[in-house]
Amino acid sequence: MPHEEKRAWILGICAIASYAVYVVLILGRAGGRPLAEVPYIAPMLGTIGASIAAAIVASILAAMISRDGGKDQRDREIGRFGEYVGHSFVVIGAVAALLLAMAEAPYFWIANAVHLAFTLSAILGSIARIFAYRRGFQPW
């Protein structure tokens, strides 16, 4: 398995795990009150930071273990393809956050729309890369 495919797996798993932990924390803190009243900033920043740190450490460990060559042209094209897929969800999230702001929704919902968009971007970008490595990649 190429190192870049391993990185895609690592990033996807870290994104899923961190968002799941965030959701559990927020729902646990709700305690019957509306979600918009739950303190969300510390859990959001904590899970995002932990996800970034875990992905960096896991990527370094995978690079130390694998010892395969650097990126070739195919790896760069697959990476670019995954980024294109992922960026579409960032745009969708930005539009959702804009609409929520225009509707004067609570900050909780705006922040969570952006957080979900970035998480989906990471997950779906990783899935696109993994499928490109596993099923073959035909650049256009």
Side-chain angles (χ1 to χ4, degrees):
M1 178 184 307
H3 176 67
E4 292 302 313
E5 183 181 353
K6 289 176 189 171
R7 282 191 67 235
W9 278 102
I10 291 167
L11 294 174
I13 290 169
C14 285
I16 292 168
S18 70
Y19 196 77
V21 168
Y22 171 73
V23 169
V24 167
L25 287 173
I26 293 301
L27 293 177
R29 289 181 171 200
R33 63 183 161 174
L35 286 177
E37 295 176 8
V38 175
Y40 67 92
I41 296 173
M44 184 181 286
L45 293 177
T47 55
I48 290 170
S51 177
I52 292 169
I56 290 170
V57 169
S59 292
I60 290 170
L61 291 174
M64 289 171 43
I65 292 169
S66 70
R67 304 220 188 266
D68 60 352
K71 284 185 184 182
D72 61 5
Q73 182 62 28
R74 180 174 177 258
D75 291 327
R76 284 188 284 277
E77 289 177 6
I78 289 173
R80 192 174 308 121
F81 171 68
E83 290 297 316
Y84 290 154
V85 171
H87 285 318
S88 62
F89 282 88
V90 172
V91 172
I92 291 168
V95 170
L98 180 65
L99 293 173
L100 287 168
M102 288 178 179
E104 298 179 1
Y107 293 139
F108 174 87
W109 296 113
I110 297 169
N112 277 282
V114 173
H115 186 208
L116 179 62
F118 278 116
T119 301
L120 288 175
S121 172
I123 293 168
L124 296 172
S126 293
I127 290 171
R129 286 183 193 94
I130 291 165
F131 269 92
Y133 277 109
R134 295 292 171 146
R135 303 283 185 208
F137 178 70
Q138 182 65 31
W140 294 286

